[in-house]
Amino acid sequence: MNFEFATAGRIVFGPGAAAQLPELVHGLGGKRVLAVTGSTPQRWSALLGSLETSGCAVSAFPVHGEPTTETVERGLALARQSGCDCVIALGGGSVIDTGKAVAALLTNPGEMLDYLEVVGAGKPLTHRAAPCVAVPTTAGTGAEVTRNSVLGVPGRGVKVSLRSPLLLPAVALVDPELTVGLPPAVTAATGLDALTQLFEAFVCRRANPFTDGFCREGLARVGRSLRRAYHDGANRAAREDMSLAALLGGLALANAGLGAVHGLAAPLGGMLGAPHGAVCGALLPAVIEANLRALESGLPGSARALERFREGLSLIGIERVSGPEEAAGIVRALCRELGQPGLADFGLKREMIDEVVQKGLKASSMKANPATLGASELAAVLERSFQPA
C-alpha cells in the first residue's frame, strides 16, 4: 500500500465563513489582490468591499464561461499590471482553476506553454504560487483543494492541465451560504460533478484507505441531499451537505484519481466547450453500466472492484440491483429528475465519436478506471449518452 496526501494549506469551512476573508488575506500578507470572479463580479460587491475596507487594493477579473489559456493570460497580465501579491478566486470551478493558474504563473518564469501538459513542454513548476484563497460559490468541482487547473486551448479542441502540488491554494474558504439560491440547473450540474468525482475516486485503481473515508462520507451526503438542494435551493442543510461533499470529492480525487467519465469529459469539454459538470452527468449512467459489465465478465481483480462498486452505489441509495442495466437505469432516473441534457444537446455529432474515443483513451483519468475499457466500449458509452436520460 503506497499513497501520498496533499491539500490546501488551510481549510476553513462553515456557514458564514466568508466573513473571514479579509483576515485570511491579511494573514497571507496580501495588500494588492486580484479578485477572480464569475461574469458578474458585482454579485460579490459586499464581500469584495470588505476587503477594500480592510485596506486591500482590489482588481476584479471576471471569467466568462469555461476557462482557457487565453483567459489565464489576460488575468496574469492584469495581476502584473496591478502589482498583485495575492489572488482570490471567488466562484465555481472555472473561476478557481483560473485563479490557481494565475497565482502559479505570477511566481514562475517563462511562458504558460512551458508548464502545460499535452500541448506544452510539461515542465514542473519550481516556485511556490502567489498566495491564493479559493472561495467556491458552487458545490461541485472541489477545485479549492485540487492540484491542477483545467484549461481549454483555443484552436486545438482540447482541455489540458497545469498540474503541480504547488497549485494548491493557501486557503480553501468554503461557505455553504454562498451556494444558497443557485439556479436548479447549476445545482444539478455541479452536484452531479461532485457525485461523479466521489464515486470515481472511490472505485478507481488508485483508491486508498485515506481517501476512502472522504468518499464514503461525501457519497452519503450527496445521496441524501442532491435532490433536496435541486428542488429547494434555500434548504441550508442540503446546501451544507453538498458543499462538504464537493470539498471531500476534491480531496479524494486529488490524492487518488478518477476514471472513464472524466477521461471522456476532458476531450468533450475541449471539443464542445460544454459545462464540465453537465457532461459528467450525461456520461455517468453509461460509464457505470460499462464498468459493471466489464467487471462482471471476470477480469483479474474484478471481485474486489465489484465489491467497491456495490458499496459506492449503496452509499447513494442504490442497493440490491439485478445487474449493470438496472444500476445504470436508477442513475439515469436521477439525471432525468435533475433535468440533465444529453451530449447531443451540447453539439456532439456521431461523426465526432471516434475522435473523442481516441483522445479519451490517452487521458490521464482513464488510467485509473477500475476496468480497462476499449475503443468499442467507450464508443458505446458515448452512443448511450447521446440523448437525455
Side-chain angles (χ1 to χ4, degrees), residues 73 76 80 105 108-116 162:
E73 286 169 347
L76 182 61
R80 286 174 172 161
L105 294 171
N108 282 272
E111 303 296 326
M112 187 186 306
L113 281 174
D114 293 336
Y115 305 106
L116 285 177
L162 179 63

Side-chain angles (χ1 to χ4, degrees), residues 285 289 324-334 336:
E289 184 175 358
E325 187 173 342
E326 184 181 358
I330 295 173
V331 179
R332 283 194 179 92
L334 170 63
R336 190 180 308 120

Side-chain angles (χ1 to χ4, degrees), residues 188-208:
T190 55
L192 286 169
D193 190 16
L195 167 59
T196 302
Q197 290 178 167
L198 287 159
F199 194 86
E200 289 204 302
F202 187 63
V203 302
C204 79
R205 295 178 182 181
R206 296 197 294 267
N208 63 72

Side-chain angles (χ1 to χ4, degrees), residues 30-54:
K31 294 182 175 60
R32 303 186 69 83
V33 174
L34 180 75
V36 185
T37 71
S39 58
T40 53
Q42 58 269 26
R43 179 183 175 194
W44 309 111
S45 57
L47 188 54
L48 297 179
S50 70
L51 275 172
E52 294 177 323
T53 301
S54 73

Side-chain angles (χ1 to χ4, degrees), residues 20-301:
Q20 300 179 44
L21 182 59
E23 174 190 346
L24 292 168
V25 169
H26 284 293
L28 295 169
K31 294 182 175 60
R32 303 186 69 83
V33 174
L34 180 75
V36 185
T37 71
S39 58
T40 53
Q42 58 269 26
R43 179 183 175 194
W44 309 111
S45 57
L47 188 54
L48 297 179
S50 70
L51 275 172
E52 294 177 323
T53 301
S54 73
C56 288
V58 178
S59 299
F61 179 68
V63 173
H64 303 272
E66 299 280 308
T68 67
T69 52
E70 291 179 354
T71 308
V72 173
E73 286 169 347
R74 290 196 303 271
L76 182 61
L78 177 60
R80 286 174 172 161
Q81 177 186 338
S82 305
C84 293
D85 53 18
C86 183
V87 175
I88 295 169
L90 177 64
S94 295
V95 168
I96 293 174
D97 276 359
T98 300
K100 291 191 299 187
V102 170
L105 294 171
L106 266 176
T107 58
N108 282 272
E111 303 296 326
M112 187 186 306
L113 281 174
D114 293 336
Y115 305 106
L116 285 177
E117 298 177 349
V118 183
V119 299
K123 294 179 180 177
L125 296 171
T126 55
H127 300 287
R128 185 175 298 278
C132 178
V133 182
V135 190
T137 61
T138 63
T141 66
E144 64 272 16
V145 287
T146 59
R147 59 177 87 186
N148 68 315
S149 175
V150 182
L151 306 170
V153 185
R156 301 288 290 271
V158 295
K159 281 188 173 183
V160 299
S161 280
L162 179 63
R163 192 185 307 273
S164 169
L166 298 177
L167 259 74
L168 287 162
V171 181
L173 178 60
V174 186
D175 184 344
E177 294 286 341
L178 301 181
T179 70
V180 173
L182 279 176
V186 177
T187 299
T190 55
L192 286 169
D193 190 16
L195 167 59
T196 302
Q197 290 178 167
L198 287 159
F199 194 86
E200 289 204 302
F202 187 63
V203 302
C204 79
R205 295 178 182 181
R206 296 197 294 267
N208 63 72
F210 206 88
T211 58
D212 284 351
F214 297 138
C215 293
R216 289 187 174 104
E217 181 72 19
L219 286 168
R221 289 176 182 270
V222 171
R224 74 189 186 204
S225 289
L226 175 52
R227 287 183 176 90
R228 290 193 298 157
Y230 175 76
H231 291 295
D232 178 11
N235 186 319
R236 281 169 162 74
R239 291 297 191 185
E240 184 169 321
D241 267 354
M242 291 307 300
S243 287
L244 184 53
L247 172 65
L248 293 169
L251 291 167
L253 75 89
N255 293 281
L258 290 165
V261 172
H262 281 81
L264 291 172
L268 283 167
M271 294 167 67
L272 306 177
H276 173 74
V279 170
C280 288
L283 290 165
L284 181 60
V287 170
I288 285 177
E289 184 175 358
N291 272 322
L292 283 173
R293 288 192 187 284
L295 293 170
E296 288 183 354
S297 70
L299 293 171

